[in-house]
């Protein structure tokens, strides 16, 4: 690639040769690596003389601890200057005027932020204005915050990457370990980055692999108001972190951290374990070549052994969780204007005896492995004072697997039998509950009595003290997944100064690809449930009719079709998504105004497996193992404008408005709709009679490959923000905003004829049995409120691959969510104390709840685009009280963190938050509501975390640090995740609780 750039006239010939060599080096690397955003900040400001007039041609040089060679700039005619592409860290900025006067000031550059630095120099006067270094900072109209390592070190912090989100102002706190927090969208709409590399699991948008925080030097979060810089398409929050780098002198540390089980309060969730967790970290960094090449490397290990654990069935085996993680990073400045970073991270986690439920037998445990690798390369070229070029590449590989400790040694096959005399040897058998629904007549009573007679004997054999609790046997599934993600980005930034305004032009190009290789088979007969002569799919007291559940069905096994001899591939199911994005942004500085005018356009492809193009009515024919583009969204369909206006009406206050549109790229449809799921990757239901004889099997219809309806518009989230920011009395910064978000164009799998067959009359018949328990539901159905929308027609014409009732991918009519937010953030800083406090009121409502698609556990990475919503007659958006408050609706949230410097070289830090509970309602199925969605709420939760850190300096070279973190000081184990199933004996009982009080002790030695 030959690209010519106009360079400064003073750049010498040998510099150009260096630049040519570096560009060649970049080009070679592009064939072998992938890319992400440059992890930098900048210093901007103005130089004036004693009379307040701007000074031109003042030489400015920034020397940083993490930047091998200093960066230079010269003030312009209006006195302005900017030092760009600075790695986050501490800098000494030196100003030298034409007369030889020199002034220096120390500043901190934070990740993704501009550090304002205004200085007045002259013979008799010096004035410097620098924004407070410890405060969270915000750029332009974006709702963003940034923290550096010094701040994080004083706050109560867990080891996991996800704990960083807890500190972010205005962001909900969640105890979920898989699904992220909500900020006006689903918990699967967030972005997670480490050194710019995307950590989110491809296709699912969850944080499945979480690096340790010991390497984090800077963290930033953007939760709204995104500009067309950084390729932000996430509808939720985007968390970005920058790792530690080598510095201009050799430094290192070794740390030991422990959490003892005896220091933890008793866990209300029932797993009372003596859980001793030991962590060891070591890091070292410094110059390999002075003022040119720095290195940083670290090692992290965790040993988590749970002893003497119990659950409702008794003693548990030792549960282990061992982890080793290595990290290395090079920072190179071959010449002053070029910076190159390259890093590699490798992590391996092995677990034993995991996933034993609080009511399950020990034999259902699993062993697991999680291997995670991140390769990052980025480079920046400061072409001249006005033009910069960035290129980056990141690649992540995640291999995960879960393997039953009780391998049953067989895979259930078509025509086989179920050993009903020893169900614990056949798979994972769920202990059934007694049927409590009132029978309408004698026939229904007979069905109920027969069912309960069989259930009672199973409860006696496998329940707990006569109660219908838990499961027995073995883990149902063998999982082996491999996820790959890579990103390439390059950006060009150019500054244009005129007499009246300044333009910062940004042009960027990004390519992203994510893929999954899935191998999943059943252990024995997989998941086994007792049906007892009732058709559980129809609900109520209905006997199987043979359509589709065979007559006489007493048991059902759900097996993975891969490995089932009725069909299937033997290799992995490979799914992929590819995206390309172009970003254009112009930041305009004019008098007291800052305008951002920009846009993103994107092209997305979903790639499945199992079809090829053909001259057929659908345009496809089946071809096992063949990749195909199942859906393509073009650039013209994803115009995402980003517009902001900021009025700096005084030197200490500004107001802003912002408009942004996002088309999120994350979708699980590449796997969920892949045609090979018909024969190789879906689940199959196998039916047996009371003696365990095989009756029939059928593919689970909602888990098959699917075609896409025509004229689908991409999922869209639109946002408006009005805000204000001011500094008061030098110590305070106050930020306020109002925000409105709306999302629409949701895609989901549903029956091709769902708008036809699930009409008002259909629902009247389906809800008749709820007259006594839920009269409002029946009244609404009888009033015709549950009726399919217009047009009442098939989503896709019948063709060679699908029929009228086949599941397809459609754009659900009228699907929407809305989010309203009012927020206040207050920063305070004095000589010995700093704090950030946020207060948020919000309302999150609609009829499409990605976070509420399962009644069993919200903490899952469910399919995006193929969840339980719109499955069969239940879950249609018009089918019950689906319009209401989302599960993640939390009306109030108050969060505050900070630290106080004690006189004896110690600090006391805290994190305190209070937030409303989440909403819920009584349900028949996971997406079928028997009362208005969200009219019930779990209790609010308050929590206080504390940190005490004591420093001891030893011989001016070594530092010994003792640290104590106490999480949930008052042991507020607030309940959440209640049982919503209307006929459960545990209706309304909390199945999860906030984590108990625990203590973490740390000792570290650094030099």
């Amino acid at each position: 690639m030959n690209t010519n750039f106009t360079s400064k006239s003073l750049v010498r010939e040998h510099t150009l040769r260096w630049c040519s060599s570096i560009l060649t080096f970049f080009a070679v690397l592009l064939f072998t690596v992938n890319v992400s955003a440059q992890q930098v900040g900048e210093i901007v400001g103005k130089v004036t003389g004693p009379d307040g007039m701007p000074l031109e041609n003042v030489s400015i040089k920034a020397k940083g601890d993490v930047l091998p060679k200093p960066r230079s700039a010269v003030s312009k005619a209006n006195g302005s200057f900017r030092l760009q592409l600075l790695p986050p860290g501490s800098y000494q900025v030196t100003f030298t005027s034409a007369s030889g006067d020199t002034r220096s000031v120390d500043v901190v550059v934070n990740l993704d932020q501009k550090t304002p630095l205004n200085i007045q120099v002259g013979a008799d006067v010096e004035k410097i204005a620098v924004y407070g270094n410890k405060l969270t900072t915000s750029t332009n109209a974006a709702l963003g915050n940034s923290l550096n390592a010094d701040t994080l070190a004083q706050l109560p912090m867990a080891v996991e990457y996800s704990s960083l989100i807890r500190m972010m102002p205005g962001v909900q706190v969640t105890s979920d370990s898989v699904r992220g927090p909500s900020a006006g969208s689903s918990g699967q709409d967030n972005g997670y980055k480490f050194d710019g590399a995307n950590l989110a699991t491809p296709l699912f948008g969850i944080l499945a692999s979480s690096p340790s925080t010991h390497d984090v030097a800077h963290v930033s979060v953007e939760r709204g108001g995104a500009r067309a810089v950084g390729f932000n398409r996430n509808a939720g929050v985007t968390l970005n972190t920058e790792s530690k780098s080598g510095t201009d002198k050799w430094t290192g540390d070794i740390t030991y951290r422990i959490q003892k089980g005896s220091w933890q309060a008793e866990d209300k969730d029932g797993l009372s374990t003596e859980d001793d967790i030991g962590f060891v970290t070591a890091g070292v960094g410094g110059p390999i070549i002075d003022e040119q090449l720095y290195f940083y490397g670290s090692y992290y290990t965790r040993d988590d052994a749970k002893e003497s654990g119990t659950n409702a069935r008794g003693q548990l085996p030792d549960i282990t969780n061992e982890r080793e993680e290595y990290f290395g990073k090079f920072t190179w400045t071959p010449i002053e204007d070029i910076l190159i970073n390259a890093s590699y991270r490798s992590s391996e986690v092995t677990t034993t005896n995991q996933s034993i439920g609080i009511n399950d037998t020990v034999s259902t445990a699993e062993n697991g492995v999680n291997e995670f690798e991140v390769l990052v390369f980025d480079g920046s070229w400061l072409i001249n004072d006005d033009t910069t070029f960035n290129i980056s590449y990141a690649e992540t590989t995640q291999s995960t697997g879960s393997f039953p400790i009780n391998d049953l040694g067989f895979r259930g096959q078509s025509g086989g039998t179920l050993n009903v005399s020893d169900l614990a040897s056949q798979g994972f058998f769920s202990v059934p509950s007694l049927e409590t629904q009132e029978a309408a007549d004698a026939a229904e009573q007979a069905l109920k009595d027969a069912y309960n007679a069989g259930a009672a004997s199973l409860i006696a054999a496998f329940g707990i003290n006569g109660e219908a609790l838990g499961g027995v046997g073995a883990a149902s599934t063998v999982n082996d997944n491999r996820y790959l993600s890579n990103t390439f980005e390059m950006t060009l930034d150019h500054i244009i100064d005129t007499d009246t305004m300044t333009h910062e032009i940004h042009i960027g190009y990004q390519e992203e690809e994510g893929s999954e290789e899935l191998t999943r088979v059943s252990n024995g007969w997989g998941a086994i449930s007792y049906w007892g002569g009732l058709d559980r799919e129809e609900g109520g007291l209905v006997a199987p009719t043979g359509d589709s559940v065979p007559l006489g069905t007493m048991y059902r096994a759900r097996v993975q079709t891969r490995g089932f001899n009725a069909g299937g591939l033997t290799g992995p199911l490979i799914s992929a998504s590819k995206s390309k994005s172009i970003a254009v942004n112009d930041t305009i500085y004019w008098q007291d105004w800052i305008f951002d005018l920009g846009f993103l356009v994107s092209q997305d492809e979903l790639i499945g497996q199992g079809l090829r193009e053909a001259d057929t009515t659908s345009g496809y024919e089946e071809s096992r193992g063949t990749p195909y583009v199942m859906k393509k969204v073009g650039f013209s369909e994803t115009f995402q404008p980003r517009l902001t206006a900021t009025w700096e009406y005084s030197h200490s206050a500004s107001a802003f408005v912002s408009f942004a549109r996002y088309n999120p790229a994350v979708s699980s449809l590449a796997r969920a709709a892949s045609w090979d799921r018909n024969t190789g990757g879906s689940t199959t239901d196998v039916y047996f009679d009371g003696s365990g004889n095989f009756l029939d099997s059928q593919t689970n219809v909602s888990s098959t490959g699917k075609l896409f309806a025509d004229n689908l518009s991409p999922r869209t989230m639109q946002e408006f923000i009005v805000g204000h920011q001011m500094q008061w009395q030098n110590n305070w910064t106050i930020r306020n905003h109002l925000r409105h978000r709306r999302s629409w164009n949701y895609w989901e799998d549903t029956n091709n004829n769902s708008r036809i067959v699930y009409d008002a009359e259909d629902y009247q018949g389906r809800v008749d049995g709820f007259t006594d328990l839920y009269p409002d539901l029946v009244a609404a159905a009888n009033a015709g409120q549950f009726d399919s929308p217009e047009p009442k027609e098939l989503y896709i014409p019948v063709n060679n691959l699908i029929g009228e009732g086949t599941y397809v991918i459609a754009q659900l009519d009228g699907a929407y969510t809305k989010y309203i937010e009012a927020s206040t953030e207050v920063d305070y800083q004095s000589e010995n104390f700093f704090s950030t406090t946020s207060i948020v009121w919000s309302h999150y409502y609609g009829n499409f709840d990605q976070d509420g698609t399962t009644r069993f556990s919200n903490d899952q990475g469910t399919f995006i685009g193929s969840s339980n919503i719109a499955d069969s007659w239940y879950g249609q958006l018009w089918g019950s009280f689906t319009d209401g408050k989302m599960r993640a609706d939390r009306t109030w949230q108050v969060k505050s963190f900070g630290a106080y410097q004690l006189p004896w070289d110690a600090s006391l830090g805290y994190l305190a938050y209070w937030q409303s509970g989440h909403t819920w309602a009584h349900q028949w199925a996971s997406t079928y509501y028997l009362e208005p969605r969200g009219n019930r709420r779990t209790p609010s939760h308050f929590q206080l975390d504390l940190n005490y850190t004591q420093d001891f300096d030893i011989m001016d070279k070594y530092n010994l640090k003792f640290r104590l973190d106490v999480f949930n000081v008052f042991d507020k184990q607030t309940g959440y995740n209640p049982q919503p199933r209307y006929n459960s004996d545990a209706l309304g009982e909390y199945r999860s609780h906030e984590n108990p009080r625990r203590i973490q002790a740390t000792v570290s030695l650094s030099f």
Side-chain angles (χ1 to χ4, degrees):
M1 178 179 67
N2 294 320
T3 306
N4 295 320
F5 297 98
T6 301
S7 202
K8 294 184 295 185
S9 59
L10 53 83
V11 176
R12 296 186 296 273
E13 183 176 350
H14 75 275
T15 304
L16 291 176
R17 287 198 299 267
W18 262 108
C19 296
S20 178
S21 299
I22 294 300
L23 287 176
T24 302
F25 179 58
F26 286 173
V28 172
L29 283 174
L30 289 183
F31 288 100
T32 57
V33 291
N34 299 323
V35 200
S36 183
Q38 181 75 358
Q39 302 288 98
V40 293
E42 60 182 316
I43 300 173
V44 297
K46 181 176 287 189
V47 186
T48 57
D51 57 359
M53 298 300 292
L55 291 182
E56 185 179 6
N57 293 324
V58 174
S59 176
I60 303 127
K61 179 170 289 189
K63 179 67 174 74
D65 56 349
V66 295
L67 182 66
K69 291 186 184 297
R71 282 279 162 81
S72 300
V74 177
S75 64
K76 298 184 179 183
N78 61 1
S80 67
F81 72 93
R82 61 185 69 229
L83 294 158
Q84 304 179 78
L85 302 179
L86 298 174
S90 299
Y91 287 83
Q92 183 182 71
V93 184
T94 302
F95 299 82
T96 304
S97 67
S99 63
D101 290 333
T102 299
R103 300 288 185 268
S104 295
V105 61
D106 294 329
V107 300
V108 171
V109 174
N110 287 319
L111 180 62
D112 296 333
Q113 302 291 334
K114 292 181 179 179
T115 299
L117 174 57
N118 298 321
I119 185 168
Q120 188 175 24
V121 298
D124 302 317
V125 65
E126 176 183 352
K127 292 183 179 179
I128 301 171
V130 185
Y131 193 78
N133 290 333
K134 285 190 179 296
L135 301 180
T136 61
T137 57
S138 182
T139 300
N140 293 338
L143 301 183
N145 303 87
S146 183
L147 297 171
N148 59 41
D150 291 339
T151 302
L152 293 172
Q154 301 175 71
L155 301 174
M157 286 285 296
V159 180
E160 297 79 12
Y161 174 96
S162 57
S163 66
L164 295 169
I165 306 176
R166 297 164 61 87
M167 297 295 171
M168 295 300 108
V171 179
Q172 290 183 8
V173 179
T174 175
S175 293
D176 290 340
S177 59
V178 176
R179 192 189 296 267
S182 172
S185 61
S186 166
Q188 290 177 251
D189 279 332
N190 302 324
Y192 311 99
K193 296 183 178 181
F194 200 103
D195 284 347
N198 189 358
L199 300 182
T201 302
L203 282 63
F204 291 90
I206 59 174
L207 185 64
S209 289
S210 178
S212 168
T213 58
H214 72 281
D215 280 329
V216 173
H218 298 265
V219 58
S220 69
V221 66
E222 187 172 76
R223 63 185 191 276
R227 301 182 299 157
V229 177
F231 304 101
N232 187 349
R233 299 177 61 188
N234 299 313
V237 300
T238 299
L239 185 72
N240 191 13
T241 56
E242 170 74 0
S243 64
K244 295 177 181 178
S245 302
T247 63
D248 51 7
K249 60 181 180 180
W250 283 98
T251 60
D253 65 84
I254 184 167
T255 300
Y256 177 72
R257 181 182 289 113
I258 186 171
Q259 292 182 20
K260 291 186 67 65
S262 58
W263 298 347
Q264 176 178 301
E266 184 177 353
D267 193 340
K268 284 187 178 180
D269 281 339
L271 294 177
S272 55
T273 58
E274 293 295 324
D275 184 2
D276 292 346
I277 309 175
F279 311 84
V280 176
T281 60
V284 64
I288 297 176
I289 303 175
D290 287 342
E291 295 192 349
Q292 187 172 130
L293 180 63
Y294 293 169
F295 170 77
Y296 173 79
S298 69
Y299 170 75
Y300 164 69
T301 184
R302 162 181 170 149
D303 185 3
D304 179 357
K306 298 182 180 181
E307 301 176 356
S308 304
T310 61
N311 70 358
R313 292 184 183 268
Q315 191 72 27
L316 297 177
D318 290 353
I319 302 172
T320 65
N321 185 330
E322 298 178 352
R323 177 173 181 168
E324 284 193 313
E325 186 171 322
Y326 300 88
F327 176 68
K329 181 178 181 180
F330 290 94
T331 304
W332 183 32
T333 54
I335 61 174
E336 182 177 316
D337 294 332
I338 288 183
L339 173 67
I340 298 172
N341 288 301
S343 66
Y344 174 75
R345 180 179 301 276
S346 175
S347 174
E348 181 180 35
V349 180
T350 56
T351 60
T352 63
N353 298 319
Q354 301 290 313
S355 304
I356 305 175
I358 61 174
N359 296 312
D360 297 341
T361 59
V362 168
S363 60
T364 63
E366 298 174 328
N367 294 336
V369 62
N370 189 330
E371 297 175 346
F372 189 58
E373 294 179 289
V374 183
L375 176 66
V376 177
F377 167 86
D378 63 66
S380 61
W381 180 19
L382 187 63
I383 300 172
N384 55 43
D385 284 349
D386 297 325
T387 309
T388 61
F389 177 72
N390 297 280
I391 190 167
S392 58
Y393 170 98
E395 183 174 276
T396 62
T397 304
Q398 179 185 351
S399 300
T400 65
S402 59
F403 309 95
I405 64 167
N406 182 14
D407 191 327
L408 299 175
F410 74 97
R411 312 276 181 252
Q413 299 297 334
S414 179
T417 58
L418 179 72
N419 185 357
V420 296
S421 64
D422 189 10
L423 288 170
S425 70
Q426 300 295 287
F428 182 91
F429 177 66
S430 299
V431 180
S433 299
L434 295 176
E435 179 57 61
T436 59
Q437 181 175 329
E438 185 175 345
D441 52 37
E444 286 191 2
Q445 186 64 47
L447 289 172
K448 176 181 176 180
D449 292 342
Y451 173 91
N452 283 342
S457 63
L458 293 171
I459 294 170
F462 301 114
I464 302 174
N465 298 325
E467 293 187 65
L469 298 172
V472 299
S476 64
T477 309
V478 179
N479 283 291
D480 192 356
N481 291 52
R482 188 167 184 257
Y483 297 96
L484 300 97
S485 174
N486 57 73
T487 309
F488 165 79
E489 291 179 4
M490 57 182 178
T491 61
L492 182 68
D493 294 86
H494 182 65
I495 299 169
I496 301 174
D497 281 318
T498 69
D499 293 337
T500 58
M501 65 180 61
T502 298
H503 296 262
E504 292 181 358
I505 308 296
H506 171 87
I507 301 173
Y509 175 76
Q510 180 196 67
E511 288 188 6
E512 281 193 303
E513 181 174 353
S515 63
E516 178 195 43
E517 299 176 4
L518 170 65
T519 300
R520 179 176 294 167
V521 296
S522 291
N523 186 24
W525 282 110
I528 306 167
S529 56
Y530 169 73
W531 281 41
L534 297 180
D535 189 340
R536 309 306 297 179
E537 289 181 349
E538 289 298 318
L541 303 175
V542 181
T545 62
D547 180 28
S548 56
V549 178
L551 299 174
T553 293
M554 298 298 288
Y555 296 91
R556 189 197 71 182
R558 177 159 285 180
V559 302
Q560 299 297 321
T561 308
R562 192 174 301 266
F564 189 65
N565 64 12
L569 297 167
T570 57
L573 180 68
I574 300 175
S575 312
S577 63
K578 295 181 179 180
S579 296
K580 298 177 182 179
S581 293
I582 298 171
V584 178
N585 196 85
D586 183 8
T587 303
I588 305 169
Y589 299 85
W590 175 67
Q591 297 182 1
D592 297 330
W593 290 86
I594 304 173
F595 300 96
D596 275 293
L597 308 176
F599 65 87
L600 292 177
V601 290
S602 306
Q603 175 184 283
D604 301 324
E605 289 184 343
L606 300 176
I607 302 170
Q609 184 177 284
L611 292 178
R612 63 185 173 200
E613 293 184 358
D615 185 17
T616 60
T617 52
S618 69
Y620 293 104
E621 64 182 8
E622 292 188 2
S623 178
R624 290 188 184 181
T626 300
Y628 69 103
V629 177
M630 58 171 64
K631 182 62 180 177
K632 183 175 182 177
V633 178
F635 287 109
S636 62
E637 301 173 81
T638 58
F639 181 68
Q640 301 161 72
R642 309 289 168 85
L643 309 171
T644 68
T646 303
W647 179 30
E648 296 181 337
Y649 61 88
S650 78
H651 71 280
S652 60
S654 63
F656 68 86
V657 295
S658 170
F659 169 78
R661 179 175 289 178
Y662 307 81
N663 293 126
V666 180
S667 171
S668 305
L669 291 174
R671 193 230 285 187
S674 184
W675 205 261
D676 267 344
R677 294 191 81 210
N678 288 337
T679 54
S682 64
T683 56
T684 294
D685 293 334
V686 186
Y687 301 95
F688 304 91
D689 64 17
S691 299
N693 297 313
F694 177 88
L695 296 176
D696 198 3
S697 67
Q698 62 177 7
T699 302
N700 183 12
V701 67
S702 64
S703 296
T704 60
K706 304 168 185 73
L707 296 184
F708 288 69
D710 291 334
N711 302 316
L712 298 181
S713 298
R715 181 161 65 105
T716 302
M717 195 276 282
Q718 190 162 280
E719 174 184 71
F720 294 91
I721 304 174
V722 177
H724 181 266
Q725 176 171 297
M726 64 176 293
Q727 289 183 275
W728 181 57
Q729 294 185 349
N730 296 323
N731 298 103
W732 299 84
T733 300
I734 303 171
R735 294 183 293 274
N736 304 282
H737 74 260
L738 298 173
R739 174 162 61 155
H740 178 269
R741 284 182 156 187
R742 182 171 69 94
S743 298
W744 67 97
N745 292 342
Y746 285 97
W747 299 0
E748 266 293 330
D749 58 345
T750 189
N751 309 79
N752 196 15
N753 59 4
S754 60
R755 293 183 299 194
I756 302 173
V757 298
Y758 305 136
D759 58 9
E761 184 178 354
D762 181 79
Y763 279 102
Q764 290 171 9
R766 293 185 186 277
V767 304
D768 277 348
F770 294 103
T771 301
D772 294 334
L773 293 175
Y774 301 97
D776 291 345
L777 173 77
V778 178
N782 290 336
Q785 295 178 19
F786 302 155
D787 191 7
S788 56
E790 298 293 345
K792 294 186 176 181
E793 58 187 26
L794 297 176
Y795 286 109
I796 301 177
V798 174
N799 58 51
N800 64 300
L801 293 178
I802 64 170
E804 289 192 1
T806 309
Y807 271 63
V808 298
I809 304 299
Q811 189 167 300
L812 298 187
D813 303 280
Y816 80 100
T817 66
K818 290 184 179 180
Y819 179 73
I820 304 171
E821 176 185 271
S823 173
T824 295
E825 294 179 30
V826 180
D827 292 336
Y828 174 79
Q829 181 175 345
S830 64
E831 183 178 354
N832 296 317
F833 177 70
F834 74 90
S835 70
T836 293
T837 301
S838 60
I839 303 173
V840 178
W841 174 91
S842 64
H843 182 39
Y844 184 30
Y845 60 102
N847 61 9
F848 189 99
D849 195 357
Q850 175 71 37
D851 291 334
T853 59
T854 171
R855 64 176 180 266
F856 301 107
S857 172
N858 181 62
D859 194 14
Q860 296 182 13
T862 55
F863 278 146
I864 301 174
S866 183
S867 69
N868 292 335
I869 297 173
D871 282 2
S872 192
W873 62 271
Y874 55 86
Q876 303 297 333
L877 297 186
W878 59 86
S880 65
F881 294 120
T882 59
D883 205 316
K885 298 172 185 175
M886 300 289 97
R887 187 187 191 278
D889 176 75
R890 298 180 185 268
T891 308
W892 287 99
Q893 182 205 86
V894 181
K895 184 187 293 187
S896 182
F897 65 84
Y900 182 77
Q901 297 295 320
L902 299 166
W904 51 88
D905 205 14
S907 65
L908 180 65
Y910 75 95
L911 167 66
Y913 65 91
W914 174 85
Q915 63 185 17
S916 303
H918 70 79
T919 66
W920 69 287
H922 289 187
Q923 295 172 248
W924 178 84
S926 57
T927 52
Y928 193 85
Y929 293 85
L930 302 176
E931 56 187 13
R933 177 203 296 271
N935 70 337
R936 300 175 187 266
R937 190 178 295 275
T938 62
S940 60
H941 176 67
F942 169 75
Q943 184 164 322
L944 173 66
D945 301 341
L946 293 177
N947 163 263
Y948 178 81
T949 301
Q950 179 70 60
D951 285 292
F952 297 96
D953 290 327
I954 305 173
M955 297 183 298
D956 297 327
K957 184 178 180 180
Y958 298 95
N959 176 267
L960 184 65
K961 180 176 294 186
F962 292 96
R963 175 185 176 117
L964 192 69
D965 294 284
V966 183
F967 304 101
N968 199 355
V969 172
F970 299 111
D971 194 27
K972 298 287 188 179
Q973 296 188 50
T974 308
Y976 64 98
N977 190 26
Q979 167 60 260
R981 189 167 177 84
Y982 79 100
N983 61 350
S984 171
D985 293 337
L987 176 65
E989 292 183 10
Y990 299 118
R991 297 170 294 175
S992 304
H993 295 80
E994 299 291 339
N995 293 325
R997 180 179 58 245
R998 60 198 189 281
I999 300 173
Q1000 176 179 278
T1002 305
V1003 59
S1004 63
L1005 178 66
S1006 60
F1007 66 88

